[in-house]
Amino acid sequence: MRLLAPFLVLFLSIVGPATAMTEIQQVRSSGGHVAWLVEDHSIPVVVLEVQFEGGTTLDPDAKAGATAMMTRLLDEGAGDLDATAYAVAVETLASQISFYSTQEVTGFSVMTLRENLDATLELLLLALAAPRFDEAPMERVRARTLARFRSATTQPGSLASQAFGEMLFGNHPIARPIADTQASVETLTRQDLVDAMTRSFVTDRVSVAAVGAITADDLEPLLDRMLGDLPDTGPALPPPAKISDAGLTRIIPFPGPQSLAFFGHAGLSRDDPDFYPAFVLNQILGGGFSSRLTRIIRKERGLTYGVSTSLQTNRLSNTFRGSLRSGNETMAEALDLVRAEWVDLAENGVTEDELRQAKQYLTGEYALRFDGNRQIAGILVSMQAEGLPRDFIETRNDLVEAVTLDDIRRVAARLLDVETLTTVVVGAPVGMENGAD
């Protein structure tokens, strides 16, 4: 990712937090492309966020890593501009163009002064239409990627994440082994990266957001210009993963005084009627410093410096999961306390005071997410991808406030199943063995 020009950083630093009453316009181009727009003419800056559903899970097994490598190379030269010339051209405009990929999405971001939008868009389109994928940058990115894979084998977090994914999701692409990806990255060719672009940048699964000093009339033709030459369709997306309910524990030996644990099981989808009760439940159980797990395991027992849970909703997987670090001598006790709270919440729900505090936090912190145009653009594309309405920003806190004690009790009984809790521990935990809990 390129560094922002100093005076563009200055512009962005004076943008205050957006309110929860942000007006979102829907813009449809003559070519049928749709974007969500939030106008803000207080500074002459435009942010574009364009995201395509699919991500690295679209890579065939034999070409694993191609999408990630492709996005790391798209700003390393295009057309007649080599890597240095392309970077200089973008920097001269005080702009930023960045490409990225995750397991489920591929995308690009543009940030520029309004007066340089057209010229910046030309550089973006050049990268999309005529990427160079020159040998020298390609080998540099390949070497960096392989080094990162080697480093992952020495990092407890990477080892735990990889093993946890394999245990939960089996042979689904979102749990693709690092070793397999490493082997394929070693042999990827320029054509493999071109093919990854064709798989990734397809307009029938795109979300677009524009924020800043741009009007709907300006944005409408820009959409066709930006997306009009991309393929309409691509390969089918992978089906959702089947999440294991075996409730197994795996110990990965690793030297050191502490152990790291990941734990979790199936969660709820974003459109599930119980999503908001589950969202509030997570805050109470392990979502913050005042959560039950932090109070019991850290404050009262002193067994950890950090424990947390999260409700993760994605197209390919929905999980309720958590993590904690503890000394080797105390990890077994800490995990027993996690399981005890899993059971207690499932059987007894939460208190009225816990519910009040969780709602107060969740509704209060929401406005803090809108602390700049780039953050707003990211929120808008996420809302589109999740199928949320444009007025969601205004109604979201009402949905949180509507959660009742009975709702929490119902969803806790439904969601929290200690018997299916998958656990991975990296370290040398005393008194723990591989197998069922």
Side-chain angles (χ1 to χ4, degrees):
M1 184 177 293
R2 305 294 181 191
L3 294 177
L4 291 174
F7 46 97
L8 185 51
V9 171
L10 177 61
F11 270 132
L12 293 173
S13 69
I14 64 175
V15 178
T19 71
M21 299 300 292
T22 302
E23 181 185 356
I24 302 173
Q25 304 175 58
Q26 180 166 291
V27 178
R28 183 180 295 274
S29 73
S30 59
H33 303 298
V34 174
W36 285 6
L37 165 66
V38 171
E39 288 191 48
D40 176 8
H41 297 275
S42 61
I43 59 170
V45 172
V46 177
V47 176
L48 300 173
E49 188 74 30
V50 182
Q51 200 169 93
F52 304 83
E53 191 176 8
T56 62
T57 56
L58 287 175
D59 290 338
D61 288 341
K63 304 299 180 182
T67 297
M69 194 168 179
M70 175 267 293
T71 54
R72 293 186 185 115
L73 282 163
L74 276 174
D75 63 354
E76 294 279 357
D80 294 334
L81 304 176
D82 63 13
T84 300
Y86 190 86
V88 169
V90 174
E91 185 175 288
T92 300
L93 295 170
S95 299
Q96 180 184 22
I97 300 173
S98 57
F99 300 89
Y100 59 89
S101 59
T102 69
Q103 287 183 320
E104 297 209 17
V105 300
T106 304
F108 52 83
S109 303
V110 174
M111 188 181 296
T112 184
L113 297 171
R114 178 63 183 87
E115 64 187 70
N116 294 334
L117 178 58
D118 286 343
T120 303
L121 193 60
E122 284 300 319
L123 290 171
L124 168 70
L125 295 176
L126 189 63
L128 293 173
R132 290 174 65 107
F133 298 137
D134 289 334
E135 182 177 358
M138 188 168 173
E139 293 309 313
R140 172 164 41 80
V141 171
R142 191 198 311 272
R144 190 183 307 147
T145 302
L146 293 174
R148 186 165 54 252
F149 288 151
R150 290 191 293 270
S151 176
T153 64
T154 67
Q155 303 296 322
S158 297
L159 291 171
S161 178
Q162 178 71 46
F164 189 65
E166 291 173 357
M167 290 179 70
L168 276 182
F169 309 127
N171 61 0
H172 193 277
I174 58 174
R176 188 175 276 139
I178 289 179
D180 291 357
T181 305
Q182 179 175 343
S184 117
V185 165
E186 290 173 345
T187 62
L188 290 175
T189 67
R190 183 184 187 281
Q191 185 59 48
D192 293 331
L193 305 190
V194 173
D195 293 342
M197 287 188 69
T198 303
R199 289 193 299 270
S200 300
F201 298 128
V202 296
T203 59
D204 68 346
R205 49 177 179 249
V206 67
S207 300
V208 183
V211 180
I214 184 171
T215 67
D217 288 341
D218 294 331
L219 181 59
E220 189 271 330
L222 184 150
L223 290 174
D224 288 341
R225 183 177 167 196
M226 184 170 58
L227 302 174
D229 291 334
L230 297 179
D232 294 331
T233 60
L237 298 172
K242 181 178 179 356
I243 299 175
S244 171
D245 60 0
L248 299 179
T249 294
R250 179 179 175 187
I251 312 299
I252 301 176
F254 195 89
Q258 285 195 330
S259 294
L260 167 66
F262 282 13
F263 49 89
H265 54 44
L268 301 177
S269 65
R270 188 66 177 74
D271 59 357
D272 191 290
D274 277 335
F275 173 79
Y276 280 98
F279 181 60
V280 177
L281 170 68
N282 170 70
Q283 182 64 28
I284 295 169
L285 176 60
F289 194 72
S290 61
S291 69
R292 278 198 187 187
L293 292 181
T294 295
R295 173 175 55 83
I296 293 169
I297 301 176
R298 174 176 173 164
K299 297 177 183 177
E300 296 178 2
R301 306 294 182 92
L303 303 180
T304 182
Y305 281 113
V307 57
S308 64
T309 61
S310 62
L311 182 66
Q312 299 198 2
T313 57
N314 300 294
R315 193 193 70 82
L316 296 178
S317 67
N318 298 297
T319 57
F320 191 70
R321 60 174 69 186
S323 65
L324 71 87
R325 290 183 183 272
S326 190
N328 291 329
E329 300 287 338
T330 57
M331 176 56 83
E333 180 184 359
L335 283 173
D336 283 344
L337 291 170
V338 169
R339 295 186 185 101
E341 287 308 307
W342 230 258
V343 172
D344 182 68
L345 272 176
E347 293 180 350
N348 303 311
V350 304
T351 68
E352 190 171 320
D353 190 53
E354 285 177 318
L355 178 58
R356 178 188 57 77
Q357 289 186 38
K359 287 182 180 181
Q360 184 176 26
Y361 173 80
L362 291 171
T363 56
E365 64 84 29
Y366 187 56
L368 301 180
R369 302 183 188 184
F370 300 82
D371 61 351
N373 288 350
R374 187 167 190 175
Q375 287 74 19
I376 295 172
I379 290 170
L380 295 188
V381 294
S382 295
M383 287 170 57
Q384 292 173 67
E386 293 172 1
L388 298 173
R390 278 185 291 149
D391 66 352
F392 172 76
I393 294 173
E394 299 169 9
T395 62
R396 179 266 195 189
N397 279 357
D398 294 336
L399 296 170
V400 172
E401 290 285 8
V403 174
T404 67
L405 286 173
D406 287 341
D407 292 333
I408 295 286
R409 187 175 294 108
R410 182 186 66 254
V411 77
R414 172 190 172 193
L415 178 62
L416 299 177
D417 183 0
V418 74
E419 297 300 323
T420 66
L421 202 61
T422 293
T423 306
V424 172
V425 181
V426 177
V430 176
M432 295 190 66
E433 298 179 353
N434 287 310
D437 292 333

